[in-house]
């Protein structure tokens, strides 16, 4: 039995004035039913583009390539736009980063929720409304019936994000992609939304991809983690293993930047990673992290650095790691 | 919403009063209007008579309030040329021009909105370039000359449409095109840029992520938002087109409001000129007022608050 | 802490970002609309300025024996009148060349007058905001309510048509877009840091507006100026066509079309030629305006 989603060697190119931005290069990952994969990295590392490419919602100019791009035993690369619209929203849904601008200001919440179901299933408007009320209730919105008649501008950011979540769930998808779903929200609401997503995922047995730059979020929700840096996945592993024993110097650096209970010593200074992320235009030689790496060697500047496996579900793209 | 409308109506009233004063003063730019009314070779006693007849010997402000007061009752004075009430003459002429203006507007909208939408969906394709070229050409074309060229091609050479007059719908085809093409660049550019902005917005991405079909994304979600700014420009352009009828009706010899305006100016029919400028300005004020209110109705962020 | 001076080479080849000047040059050379507009405008400008040298005849000299001579591309046309002669036997090419001077003169002067009025109002409204803004917005709304062509016709007809009169009237009528665009451009920069900095160092308001603000809204100003110029040229042509602008025997293109209309069914070139040149002049000015807007736009918006 193959996995729910399997991506192998996915690359995304984006034309920019200075040349071709090789925004995502040869990333591979997989998600199974009921499992959460966190794609974590700094802003601009290509994680959002990776998410959009799964839904085939990349900007028009962007080009994607992949060796394997399989979802539910369907080859997504071979699927045309028409067939893809049948999958989007029905079997694979996405929750976006900006709840304030992600809802159409001209239509009521009810209209926008119902249309997702009406598009994919032959149901009456009444049935669609019932489903919407049911889901609004599920995401913890009270007085769901009257909320349906409201317009987006009448609701707070937290409410809107809950609505975005219920919208994504309207058709009962098997995979849900959440792109920084809590970044634009207050801290207290962030925790609620994350807890909500986790419980809904358990209840409906969905696979989930959580895109985030926040390691705190990762530790709360993810089963598996893939760390992205400048368009590459440089390390993968189970959340537990990765937090306990980071292999790649970048991951180590990231973890040193945040306080982790039991790991960070009391009174110790939190560090930061010096230098800046390079702009991926042109041919890459050697390791993409070497200009910021504290453990850099001469060999890091040469050839291609392979991704090597270190046990089950554990890989790292670094020369220094010995098996 | 109510507060917004009231504010907007107050502004419109203020503008209306100002333009009424300006149209009243317009015929006084050359000094004493008695010279124009009495004719070039009038004697001093004739001038005095005209001054008395039209009340020109009173202070200007008194004259204005008198004129404006009567205008409020639908009396815009007598035309010395027609020897009749200005309002009576204008009524029918305005109807002709309204039909022309509305058909020109319809022509411009039918051509420019679909073109703007397609250009926005397929930027940098041949159809986008065609649309851009059309709008660049349209902006540079002198309307009176365009009208003459239309006559040369379609009336003289091809004999499809009559040269001039306004007795049948066939008479209206060429004037409609000559008057309407002027609005095309504005509508098309606005539709295109509005659609481009909206299509790159987050909520369009949401709509696509729901798996909605392209037609639904474009028409239900994008066009509905992109069309809002076009509404105000429609009102403005209709106002411009009614003003432009002065030129186009002269070219095609259509017996409408514009030709009346032109002829009245040529024969220094001052009460008529005042009335025409006032009416055109007021139409514009009302149109923009309606557009703003319609705008608010189309946008729930203003309507429901 | 790593030693920053000893970092290894960058993983990707260095990108050489073009300087603003280079970007501008590259965009200019790639913008065919701008190049075409500039090219045509330079030709028209040169032809108009050099009219006394280029014109084969006196544009006012009538020759009733050689009336309505066809242009050279007609079978009976001659090179002695390359573009033929009008109803009074005046050489059409000469009139066309001198007519260009009138259009350009009116375009530039009416644009300058309206630019001065509109920009002052717009910048004041955008910079000071509040009451000033309310008053200016009201003025713009009122101005827009008045039908330009009608008011211009009425004034010129009542006061009497002459070149300075037409220029004054147009200049006083078409300032609205200057005010609107300058107002919003100024508003956008009003709270920019460099303006606050200039205020903090105690610069006078006038100095801030001229030294800090104006250079930054110059590109918008130029674009509106080109639009105002073409608008003035088109309006003058329309007024003259209707017989209430520039008066005969001045060779205004609009007037030439009006005079040619009488013969248009038999000698259509009498209206086609001046109309085409008028169209080309306005087109080239507009293309240049669009080009300047695109070329000076921030990266990614072109």
């Amino acid at each position: 039995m193959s996995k729910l989603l399997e991506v192998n060697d996915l690359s995304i190119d984006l034309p920019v004035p200075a040349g071709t931005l090789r925004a995502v290069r040869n990333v591979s990952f997989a998600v199974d039913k009921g499992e959460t994969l966190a794609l974590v990295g700094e802003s601009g590392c290509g994680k959002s583009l990776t998410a959009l490419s799964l839904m085939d919602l990349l900007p028009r100019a962007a080009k994607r390539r992949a060796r394997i791009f399989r979802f539910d035993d369907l080859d997504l690369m071979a699927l045309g736009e028409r067939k893809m619209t049948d999958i989007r929203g029905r079997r694979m849904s996405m929750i976006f980063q900006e709840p304030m601008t992600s809802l159409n200001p001209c239509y009521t919440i009810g209209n926008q929720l119902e249309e997702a179901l009406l598009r994919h299933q032959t149901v009456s408007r009444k049935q669609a409304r019932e489903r919407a009320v049911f889901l609004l209730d599920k995401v913890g919105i009270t007085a769901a019936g009257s909320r349906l008649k409201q317009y987006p501008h009448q609701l707070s950011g937290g409410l809107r994000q809950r609505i975005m979540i219920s919208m994504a769930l309207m058709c009962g998808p098997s995979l849900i992609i959440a792109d920084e779903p809590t970044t634009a929200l207050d801290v207290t609401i962030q925790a609620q939304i994350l807890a909500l997503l986790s419980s809904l995922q358990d209840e409906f047995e969905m696979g989930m991809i959580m895109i985030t730059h926040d390691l705190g979020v990762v530790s709360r929700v993810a089963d598996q983690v893939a760390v992205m840096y400048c368009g590459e996945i440089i390390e993968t592993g189970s959340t537990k293993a990765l937090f306990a024993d980071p292999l790649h110097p970048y991951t180590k650096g990231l973890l040193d930047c945040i306080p982790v209970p039991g790991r960070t010593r009391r009174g110790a200074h939190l560090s930061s990673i010096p230098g800046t992320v390079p702009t991926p235009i042109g041919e890459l030689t050697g390791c993409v992290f070497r200009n910021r790496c504290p453990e850099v060697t001469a060999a890091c500047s040469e050839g291609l650095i392979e991704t090597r496996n270190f046990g089950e579900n554990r890989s790292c793209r670094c020369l220094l790691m010995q098996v | 919403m109510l507060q917004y409308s009231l504010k907007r109506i107050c502004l419109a009233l203020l503008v209306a009063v100002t333009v009424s004063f300006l149209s009243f003063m317009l015929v006084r730019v050359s000094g004493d209007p008695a010279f124009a009314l009495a004719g070039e070779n009038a004697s001093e006693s004739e001038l005095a008579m005209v001054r008395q007849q039209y009340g020109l010997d009173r202070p200007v402000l008194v004259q204005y309030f008198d004129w404006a007061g009567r205008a409020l009752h639908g009396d815009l004075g007598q035309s010395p040329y027609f020897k009749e009430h200005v309002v009576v003459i204008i009524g029918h002429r305005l109807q002709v021009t309204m039909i022309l203006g509305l058909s020109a507007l319809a022509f411009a909208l039918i051509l420019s909105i679909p073109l703007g939408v397609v250009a926005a969906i397929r930027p940098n394709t041949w159809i986008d370039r065609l649309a851009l070229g059309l709008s660049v050409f349209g902006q540079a074309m002198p309307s009176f000359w365009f009208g003459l060229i239309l006559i040369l091609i379609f009336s003289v050479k091809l004999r499809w449409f009559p040269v001039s007059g306004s007795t049948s719908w066939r008479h209206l085809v060429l004037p409609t095109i000559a008057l309407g093409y002027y609005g095309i660049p504005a509508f098309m550019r606005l539709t295109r840029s509005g659609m481009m902005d909206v299509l790159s917005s987050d909520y369009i991405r949401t709509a696509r992520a729901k798996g909605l079909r392209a037609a639904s994304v474009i028409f239900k979600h994008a066009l509905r938002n992109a069309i809002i700014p076009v509404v105000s420009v429609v009102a403005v352009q209709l106002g411009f087109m009614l003003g432009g009828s002065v030129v186009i009706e002269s070219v095609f010899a259509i017996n409408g409001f514009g030709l009346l305006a032109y002829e009245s100016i040529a024969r220094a029919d001052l009460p008529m000129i005042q009335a025409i400028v006032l009416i055109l300005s007021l139409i514009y004020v009302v149109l923009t007022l309606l557009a703003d209110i319609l705008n608010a109705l189309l946008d729930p962020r203003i309507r429901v608050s | 802490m790593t030693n920053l001076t000893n970092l290894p080479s960058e993983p990707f080849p260095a990108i050489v970002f073009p300087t603003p000047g280079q970007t501008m040059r590259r965009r200019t050379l790639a913008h065919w609309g701008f190049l075409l507009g500039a090219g045509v405008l330079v030709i028209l400008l040169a032809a108009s300025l050099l009219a006394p040298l280029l014109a084969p005849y006196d544009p006012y000299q009538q020759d009733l024996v050689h009336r309505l001579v066809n242009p050279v591309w007609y079978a009976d046309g001659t090179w002695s009148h390359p573009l033929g002669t009008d109803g009074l036997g005046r050489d059409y090419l000469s009139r066309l060349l001198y007519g260009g001077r009138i259009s350009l003169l009116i375009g530039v002067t009416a644009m300058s007058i309206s630019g001065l009025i509109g920009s002052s109002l717009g910048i004041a409204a955008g910079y000071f905001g509040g009451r000033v803004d309310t008053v200016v917005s009201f003025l713009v709304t009122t101005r827009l309510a008045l039908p330009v062509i009608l008011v211009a016709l009425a004034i010129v007809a009542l006061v009497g048509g002459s070149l300075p009169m037409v220029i004054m009237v147009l200049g006083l009528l078409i300032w609205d877009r200057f005010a609107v665009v300058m107002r919003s451009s100024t508003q956008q920069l009003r709270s920019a840091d460099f303006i606050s900095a200039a205020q903090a160092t105690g610069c006078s308001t006038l100095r801030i507006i001229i030294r800090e603000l104006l250079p930054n809204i110059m590109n918008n100003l130029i674009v509106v100026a080109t639009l105002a110029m073409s608008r003035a040229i088109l309006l003058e042509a329309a007024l003259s066509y209707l017989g209430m602008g520039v008066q005969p025997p001045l060779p205004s293109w609009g007037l030439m079309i009006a005079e040619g209309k009488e013969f248009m069914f038999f000698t259509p070139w009498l209206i086609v030629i001046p109309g085409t040149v008028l169209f080309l002049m306005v087109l080239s000015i507009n293309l240049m305006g669009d080009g300047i807007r695109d070329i000076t736009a921030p990266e990614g918006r072109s």
Side-chain angles (χ1 to χ4, degrees), chain B residues 18 136 145 156 189 262 265 281 284, chain C residues 138 145 157 242 265 271 275 290:
Chain B
T18 316
V136 169
W145 184 67
V156 179
R189 286 185 178 207
Y262 173 61
I265 288 170
S281 307
Y284 180 89
Chain C
F138 179 73
L242 292 173
F265 299 119
I271 62 167
D290 284 357

Side-chain angles (χ1 to χ4, degrees), chain C residues 226-295:
Chain C
T226 60
L227 288 174
M229 188 164 162
S230 51
R231 193 173 168 200
I233 291 175
L234 282 177
L235 278 171
E236 179 275 324
L239 289 178
S240 301
Y241 170 78
L242 292 173
M244 290 171 195
V246 176
Q247 295 301 314
L250 279 180
S252 153
W253 290 342
L255 204 54
M256 287 168 75
I257 296 174
E259 289 163 352
K261 195 189 172 193
E262 199 182 326
F263 312 101
M264 72 181 260
F265 299 119
F266 309 103
T267 49
W269 54 265
L270 273 179
I271 62 167
V272 172
I273 292 172
T276 308
V277 187
L278 176 60
F279 168 72
L280 282 178
M281 179 176 278
V282 176
L283 182 71
S284 62
I285 295 171
N286 286 351
L287 283 176
M288 274 193 69
D290 284 357
I292 292 168
R293 188 196 55 212
D294 293 346
I295 290 164

Side-chain angles (χ1 to χ4, degrees), chain C residues 132-256:
Chain C
V132 183
D133 189 25
T134 312
V135 171
V136 171
S137 299
F138 179 73
L139 286 178
V140 172
T141 315
T142 311
R143 162 45 215 94
L144 284 172
L146 292 171
V148 176
I149 186 100
L150 204 57
V151 172
L153 271 178
I155 296 178
V156 174
L158 292 171
V159 181
S162 67
L163 202 55
M165 195 63 216
V166 173
I167 290 171
M168 269 319 278
V169 170
L170 291 181
L172 289 174
L173 278 174
I174 60 170
W175 50 266
D176 48 286
R177 199 173 308 178
F178 278 105
V180 171
V181 174
M182 286 299 99
R183 173 176 172 266
S184 64
S185 311
T186 308
Q187 267 176 346
Q188 278 166 17
L189 288 179
R190 178 68 186 83
S191 45
D193 286 339
F194 65 92
I195 301 279
S196 313
Q199 284 170 327
T201 53
C203 293
S204 72
T205 304
L206 194 66
R207 191 188 153 87
I208 293 174
I209 287 175
I210 291 171
R211 294 290 301 270
E212 308 290 338
L213 189 69
L214 215 49
N216 284 291
I217 54 178
M218 210 48 177
N219 55 340
N220 286 348
L221 185 63
I222 293 173
V223 174
V224 195
T226 60
L227 288 174
M229 188 164 162
S230 51
R231 193 173 168 200
I233 291 175
L234 282 177
L235 278 171
E236 179 275 324
L239 289 178
S240 301
Y241 170 78
L242 292 173
M244 290 171 195
V246 176
Q247 295 301 314
L250 279 180
S252 153
W253 290 342
L255 204 54
M256 287 168 75

